[in-house]
Amino acid sequence: MDDELVILGSGGGRHHIRTQYRATAGVLYKFNDIQSHIDPGPGAIVRINQHKEDPVKTELFIVTHAHVDHYSDLSVIIESSREILHDGKYNYYKKGTLITTSEMFQYISDYHLNMLEEIVKFKQGDIFNYKGVEIKATKVVHSPKNEGFGIKFKLKNYSLAFTSDTMVYDDFSEEFSDVNILVLNLLRPNSIVCKRHLCTDEVMQYLNNIEPPLDGLIITHFGSYMDSPRSTKNYVPSQVKKLQENTNIKNIIAAEDGLKISIRELLK
Ligand SMILES: [Zn+2]
Ligand SMILES: [Zn+2]
């Protein structure tokens, strides 16, 4: 199986949670024959089935912070990752690894935690080795009330990172300096600033300063200003164009619900 990203939801924030104009189901990242689900928000299991993916294959569950558009369906996804829950004596089969903030544990029942093989409490700067792949929690500046992290996967042939929800910070470019492919949560277009998130004009120079230049950038987690009945138009295509014209990044892709992205194609 080639490494792949499946965009289950390209939306973020409370308006998309309500309307599902863009889905809020997170991303499947398949690497080294491992299926991981990152930030399974509202509708995650519906979108997995809609896009003909198999929830039973998921073995790595990652929730970057305790905002409902990132975690609401976590228990559903854990429970759906096995066809059989327990044996005749109600011994539950253990499967999978959960990586998340310590804050998140109040939102998961013991019932679901007990289904997991391994639980990893993660905070910024932590590193965890999963089957030979180094997984690092990158820095975020997001909610003052919630812990959070971005996530960087270092594989043998390439490195891929998810910024998660964040604003820019001084060493943003350095944080992603050895990354080939970056998945950027870009809530708003142009210079429409949002206190805890990114807009294009704020982040553009930081993206351009990543050394060596990114092979691929995927923008996702669009808010309602970017594309919804509340916005004057779909700003996504113009933001891709703007980033292409103002950065040194070779491949820039806008997430769409259900889009499947081959990693190999992006590394060209
Ligand atoms: Zn979010
Ligand atoms: Zn958030």
Side-chain angles (χ1 to χ4, degrees):
M1 183 173 77
D2 280 347
D3 291 5
E4 185 182 52
L5 289 165
V6 180
I7 307 293
L8 296 173
S10 62
R14 63 185 190 279
H15 294 291
H16 286 310
I17 292 176
R18 183 182 73 255
T19 63
Q20 292 293 301
Y21 186 80
R22 280 181 182 261
T24 51
V27 179
L28 290 183
Y29 174 37
K30 304 177 190 177
F31 59 97
N32 294 358
D33 289 320
I34 295 161
Q35 181 163 300
S36 65
H37 194 149
I38 296 159
D39 288 342
I45 192 64
V46 176
R47 304 302 175 182
I48 285 180
N49 287 296
Q50 179 186 347
H51 299 301
K52 309 258 184 300
E53 294 294 329
D54 184 359
V56 175
K57 287 185 180 155
T58 303
E59 61 175 272
L60 180 59
F61 313 88
I62 300 176
V63 171
T64 61
H65 61 296
H67 281 169
V68 75
D69 54 335
H70 296 253
Y71 79 80
S72 74
D73 279 15
L74 174 62
S75 300
V76 177
I77 293 302
I78 291 172
E79 193 163 323
S80 302
S81 68
R82 62 216 68 203
E83 282 178 38
I84 301 164
L85 284 184
H86 52 70
D87 65 15
K89 292 178 179 161
Y90 280 85
N91 295 308
Y92 280 80
Y93 295 115
K94 287 191 180 285
K95 180 199 164 182
T97 296
L98 170 66
I99 302 177
T100 191
T101 61
S102 39
E103 184 194 3
M104 258 305 295
F105 289 89
Q106 60 187 303
Y107 302 114
I108 320 167
S109 67
D110 288 343
Y111 176 76
H112 289 104
L113 288 175
N114 282 327
M115 291 183 189
L116 297 161
E117 246 174 344
E118 191 171 16
I119 293 162
V120 182
K121 289 184 182 173
F122 232 29
K123 59 179 189 313
Q124 294 176 25
D126 283 357
I127 290 175
F128 174 68
N129 191 298
Y130 187 76
K131 298 187 176 177
V133 175
E134 185 189 287
I135 300 178
K136 186 185 173 196
T138 61
K139 180 175 171 178
V140 291
V141 178
H142 182 39
S143 162
K145 288 189 180 146
N146 303 97
E147 303 168 50
F149 54 81
I151 195 143
K152 182 157 81 177
F153 295 78
K154 200 170 168 187
L155 290 89
K156 215 169 115 200
N157 298 324
Y158 72 94
S159 166
L160 182 147
F162 297 82
T163 63
S164 185
D165 289 354
T166 185
M167 297 186 286
V168 282
Y169 43 83
D170 282 349
D171 45 354
F172 183 92
S173 306
E174 289 74 36
E175 189 73 327
F176 301 109
S177 66
D178 53 352
V179 166
N180 299 97
I181 298 168
L182 183 65
V183 182
L184 179 80
N185 285 11
L186 186 63
L187 269 281
R188 291 189 175 184
N190 300 323
S191 58
I192 303 177
V193 173
C194 171
K195 244 173 46 190
R196 296 174 185 179
H197 292 283
L198 289 174
C199 65
T200 307
D201 292 3
E202 279 176 324
V203 73
M204 207 152 55
Q205 202 50 47
Y206 288 87
L207 295 171
N208 197 42
N209 288 343
I210 295 174
E211 283 293 336
L214 295 169
D215 292 305
L217 174 72
I218 295 147
I219 56 171
T220 188
H221 210 65
F222 305 128
S224 62
Y225 274 83
M226 188 70 100
D227 179 32
S228 83
R230 298 176 80 241
S231 62
T232 48
K233 63 170 184 177
N234 177 3
Y235 282 93
V236 173
S238 61
Q239 302 313 293
V240 171
K241 193 159 177 274
K242 195 172 204 177
L243 289 164
Q244 281 166 339
E245 286 168 356
N246 291 284
T247 70
N248 50 14
I249 305 164
K250 282 175 242 165
N251 302 300
I252 300 176
I253 293 177
E256 293 296 334
D257 296 348
L259 182 68
K260 304 189 182 190
I261 301 165
S262 154
I263 301 299
R264 196 168 30 176
E265 290 296 313
L266 268 184
L267 291 173
K268 276 180 185 169

